[in-house]
Amino acid sequence: MEKRTQSRATRNSSAESTDKSIRAAAVKAIAKYGFKAANLRDIAKDVGIRAPSLYNYISSKEQLLYELIKEPLNSMLTEYRALVREVDDPSEKLRIFLQVHLNFHLHSKDDVFIGNMELRNLSPSHYRTIIGLREEFAQTLYDIIQEGVDRSVFNTAQPRVISLTMLGMLSGVCNWYRSSGAMSPREMIEFYTDLIFSMLGAAPASAGAKPKPARKRPAS
């Protein structure tokens, strides 16, 4: 019985590893060639399996794209909610939101690119789900800012407008940031935290101290 349980666990672990490899290969292919030009046969080859075996892990190419776009949104929302479960201070909630959002956008540029450029290739129902998740994410930031305004922690006459402005600014970092530049991802998060809090007329949360002076890095 124990051997049977171990064998099942090994198979599950192997399937999970293959699933992650398929997703990573799909992100690379779609970011490079676009959804329509990306070839499932090439994705399977990159993973080291036969093309027909892909359908043990995915139901269709469009479903794969949907999962690639949906998963990061769900993960960010889940991570944020777990981190603020016992947090009452809107300043700390904002600091955590910025960290979660920027961590993804600084380290997963291909995923962000796919999420922005390939929405048009989703089915109508999948498209609506993704838009709903994006609106939920935007609403989360708005709620933080509105709470801070209501409690006189933040100062802005337009919480909705400034929250949307901030989202555009935060998401845009992946278009120009280079790890070989003057600031590390950690320093960039600290810099943005300081900037966002300044926009709201508030000092950064205690955990989000001002960033250290940027150090010049050699080009990669």
Side-chain angles (χ1 to χ4, degrees), residues 95 186-187 189-191 193-194 204-212:
R95 189 190 67 80
R186 179 185 61 80
E187 289 170 327
I189 291 172
E190 291 175 349
F191 176 81
T193 299
D194 197 16
S206 58
K210 288 188 176 182
K212 300 175 183 178

Side-chain angles (χ1 to χ4, degrees), residues 106 109 172-179 183-185 188 217:
L106 289 170
K109 293 184 178 183
V173 69
C174 68
N175 296 324
W176 56 264
Y177 176 75
R178 298 292 180 270
S179 59
M183 301 175 75
S184 69
M188 188 60 66
R217 294 182 168 197

Side-chain angles (χ1 to χ4, degrees), residues 31-144:
K32 184 175 182 179
Y33 301 112
F35 174 73
K36 291 184 177 179
N39 192 302
L40 288 180
R41 188 176 300 278
D42 291 337
I43 292 172
K45 183 178 180 181
D46 196 14
V47 176
I49 61 176
R50 296 174 61 248
S53 299
L54 271 179
Y55 291 98
N56 292 324
Y57 302 90
I58 66 173
S59 59
S60 69
K61 186 179 176 185
E62 188 274 339
Q63 179 72 26
L64 175 59
L65 175 65
Y66 169 64
E67 295 295 339
L68 292 178
I69 298 175
K70 183 182 72 170
E71 186 176 4
L73 289 166
N74 274 333
S75 294
M76 284 190 290
L77 284 166
T78 300
E79 181 182 2
Y80 168 77
R81 287 165 180 162
L83 291 172
V84 301
R85 188 171 292 125
E86 298 182 3
V87 175
D88 179 63
D89 178 18
S91 291
E92 182 65 8
K93 289 179 183 178
L94 179 57
R95 189 190 67 80
I96 292 170
F97 181 94
L98 296 174
Q99 179 177 317
V100 169
H101 185 86
L102 286 168
N103 265 334
F104 174 68
H105 284 75
L106 289 170
H107 292 102
S108 305
K109 293 184 178 183
D110 284 346
D111 299 78
V112 176
F113 178 79
I114 290 171
N116 289 334
M117 299 302 294
E118 301 296 347
L119 281 176
R120 63 189 182 278
N121 288 306
L122 293 176
S123 68
S125 62
H126 285 164
Y127 178 87
R128 287 192 296 270
T129 299
I130 296 302
I131 294 302
L133 284 170
R134 289 187 168 191
E135 290 175 349
E136 186 176 352
F137 198 77
Q139 184 67 34
T140 299
L141 178 57
Y142 167 75
D143 289 343
I144 296 169

